[in-house]
């Protein structure tokens, strides 16, 4: 998958269509070592996701919770849940297969199957995620079934919107093209049935009202920053956009993004300036003003701290 966050909107929503409307499932291989800081950025989407760790241990952030995944382990991430994945070791080459899919792949919204077996899991506030461990038999069976789905979609499914898939060992042989869509749906239904039958064995994640509030408040503040970064913006302005105190605004950002609101604002200004440096002929002073910096010297100072080089140096090697 792509190694930047241009596919995310101002609330961290992943603004791409996963699969096609008549077959709403998409296979991806995330090459984490190609991402900035070895990390797929925090994001969310309406659809649930299955993600497998390959190539080394990973650190996952689900909401404000941090956990580690060993190679071969997987994770189910429920819909509407903020999450990110990060490669732990610099020398690893993590290529992680995953699928993002509409629950209508299992059954239509109006069906009794959806109402009895699908919606109770999707709507379970104590199930934002659960880990699939390679050494637990029923987990292992699901991991093997996911490998079959990955292989089918890799060979016969809709191609990734981000280009060719990298080479990866999916450990599945002899998958056939005949009725591959039906095979994918059948296996996905088997996986979902197993999850439903084993619900009592899945650890409950007690999301507090505060956890949910942090996500909602963060998204309001991010929207404000993205819409107003070119103007003079203070911490109080950011906090007021979510009707909270400055200290609560800081807690929300640190809990979910591990930075302060002002640091995020400056980073977004720098990222915006990079686009202008590459795609326009505006001078440094004009770019600094366009991106909300009150002086060219301050812009250069912040840019160098964030990007490791001056704006002119960045333009020289990235101009299109």
């Amino acid at each position: 998958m792509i190694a930047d966050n241009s596919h995310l909107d101002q609330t961290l929503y992943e603004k791409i269509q996963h699969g096609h409307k008549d077959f709403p499932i998409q296979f991806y291989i995330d090459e984490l070592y190609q991402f900035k800081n070895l990390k797929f950025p925090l994001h969310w989407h309406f659809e649930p996701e299955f993600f497998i760790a390959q190539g080394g241990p990973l650190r996952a952030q689900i909401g404000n919770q941090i956990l580690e995944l060993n190679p071969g382990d997987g994770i189910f991430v429920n819909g509407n849940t903020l999450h990110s994945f990060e490669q732990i070791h610099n020398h690893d080459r993590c290529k992680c297969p995953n699928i993002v899919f509409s629950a209508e792949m299992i059954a239509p919204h109006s069906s009794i199957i959806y109402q009895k077996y699908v919606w109770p899991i999707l709507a379970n506030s104590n199930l934002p995620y659960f880990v699939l461990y390679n050494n637990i038999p029923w987990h292992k069976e699901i991991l093997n079934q996911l490998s079959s789905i990955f292989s089918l979609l890799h060979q016969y499914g809709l191609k990734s919107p981000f280009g060719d898939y990298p080479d990866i060992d999916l450990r599945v042989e002899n998958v056939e093209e005949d009725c591959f869509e039906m095979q994918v749906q059948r296996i996905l239904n088997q996986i979902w049935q197993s999850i439903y039958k084993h619900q009592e064995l899945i650890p409950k994640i007690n999301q507090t009202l505060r956890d949910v509030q942090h996500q909602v408040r963060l998204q309001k503040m991010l929207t404000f920053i993205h819409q107003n970064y070119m103007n003079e913006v203070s911490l109080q302005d950011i906090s007021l956009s979510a009707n909270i105190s400055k200290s609560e605004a800081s807690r929300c950002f640190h809990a979910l993004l591990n930075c302060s609101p002002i640091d995020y604002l400056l980073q977004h200004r720098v990222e915006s300036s990079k686009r202008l440096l590459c795609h326009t002929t505006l001078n440094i002073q004009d770019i600094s003003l366009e991106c909300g910096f009150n002086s060219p010297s301050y812009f250069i100072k912040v840019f160098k701290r964030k990007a490791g080089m001056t704006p002119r140096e960045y333009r020289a090697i990235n101009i299109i």
Side-chain angles (χ1 to χ4, degrees):
M1 201 182 234
I2 54 178
D4 60 34
N5 60 0
S6 60
H7 60 300
L8 305 182
D9 77 2
Q10 58 203 20
T11 69
L12 304 182
Y13 170 69
E14 192 168 52
K15 55 183 181 182
I16 57 175
Q17 180 174 313
H18 300 290
H20 194 269
K21 63 182 179 180
D22 57 9
F23 192 56
I25 182 170
Q26 182 64 57
F27 173 63
Y28 301 101
I29 300 176
D30 291 351
E31 298 174 277
L32 297 182
Y33 61 94
Q34 292 198 20
F35 283 79
K36 181 180 179 181
N37 299 322
L38 310 177
K39 181 177 182 179
F40 192 106
L42 197 67
H43 67 288
W44 66 280
H45 33 73
F46 294 112
E47 304 91 342
E49 175 177 356
F50 284 103
F51 186 100
I52 309 297
Q54 281 195 19
L58 308 181
R59 185 176 296 111
Q61 178 181 347
I62 315 293
N64 60 0
Q65 301 200 32
I66 306 295
L67 58 145
E68 291 191 5
L69 300 176
N70 290 317
D73 290 341
I75 189 168
F76 168 79
V77 181
N78 217 331
N80 301 305
T81 302
L82 278 171
H83 58 287
S84 69
F85 299 103
E86 178 182 3
Q87 180 176 306
I88 294 175
H89 303 306
N90 290 338
H91 61 270
D92 287 334
R93 289 293 180 266
C94 293
K95 302 178 183 180
C96 301
N98 59 94
I99 50 171
V100 181
F101 61 96
S102 167
E104 285 212 277
M105 280 291 299
I106 300 168
H109 288 163
S110 58
S111 70
I112 191 171
I113 294 174
Y114 188 94
Q115 298 301 323
K116 287 182 67 174
Y117 307 114
V118 179
W119 179 245
I121 292 173
L122 294 178
N124 188 344
S125 61
N126 293 321
L127 189 60
Y129 72 91
F130 72 90
V131 177
L132 293 161
Y133 294 104
N134 208 27
N135 60 353
I136 296 177
W138 73 273
H139 288 194
K140 177 68 173 177
E141 183 179 6
I142 289 177
L143 291 168
N144 289 337
Q145 290 168 324
L146 285 170
S147 290
S148 295
I149 289 179
F150 294 160
S151 293
L152 285 163
L153 293 174
H154 181 231
Q155 294 189 47
Y156 310 118
L158 187 67
K159 296 306 178 185
S160 169
F162 305 117
D164 294 337
Y165 292 116
D167 292 333
I168 189 172
D169 179 14
L170 294 172
R171 302 185 180 87
V172 174
E173 299 178 358
N174 302 323
V175 293
E176 298 179 359
E177 185 176 6
D178 289 347
C179 306
F180 88 89
E181 297 95 341
M182 293 183 70
Q183 294 184 67
V184 169
Q185 185 184 45
R186 173 180 57 80
I187 298 169
L188 191 59
N189 271 266
Q190 291 173 339
I191 291 171
W192 203 270
Q193 183 179 4
S194 183
I195 293 171
Y196 185 86
K197 289 169 59 178
H198 292 94
Q199 282 183 89
E200 296 305 315
L201 300 178
I202 299 173
K204 301 297 184 292
I205 310 298
N206 293 319
Q207 288 196 112
T208 66
L209 177 60
R210 188 175 185 81
D211 294 333
V212 177
Q213 284 178 334
H214 273 172
Q215 179 167 331
V216 172
R217 289 167 172 174
L218 176 71
Q219 290 171 331
K220 288 181 178 179
M221 292 185 286
L222 291 177
T223 298
F224 176 80
I225 288 172
H226 283 247
Q227 291 177 345
N228 295 278
Y229 71 92
M230 69 293 296
N231 304 317
E232 186 174 343
V233 174
S234 67
L235 176 57
Q236 179 155 346
D237 295 328
I238 296 171
S239 63
L240 286 176
S241 70
N243 295 313
I244 56 177
S245 67
K246 291 186 287 186
S247 58
E248 180 63 15
S250 294
R251 278 192 288 271
C252 288
F253 270 83
H254 279 288
L256 291 166
L257 295 179
N258 197 32
C259 68
S260 72
I262 296 301
D263 197 51
Y264 182 91
L265 169 65
L266 292 175
Q267 183 64 49
H268 183 68
R269 284 173 169 168
V270 167
E271 293 303 317
S272 299
S273 74
K274 288 179 180 178
R275 289 190 289 273
L276 295 178
L277 287 165
C278 292
H279 298 285
T280 75
T281 58
L282 291 173
N283 61 41
I284 299 301
Q285 180 172 350
D286 289 341
I287 289 175
S288 67
L289 294 175
E290 285 273 340
C291 295
F293 292 98
N294 55 20
S295 73
S297 60
Y298 181 55
F299 167 53
I300 293 169
K301 178 182 177 181
V302 173
F303 190 100
K304 188 171 184 179
R305 186 171 78 238
K306 299 286 187 182
M309 64 184 74
T310 68
R312 292 189 190 282
E313 290 169 338
Y314 183 86
R315 169 173 267 173
I317 62 175
N318 289 283
I319 193 166
I320 294 177

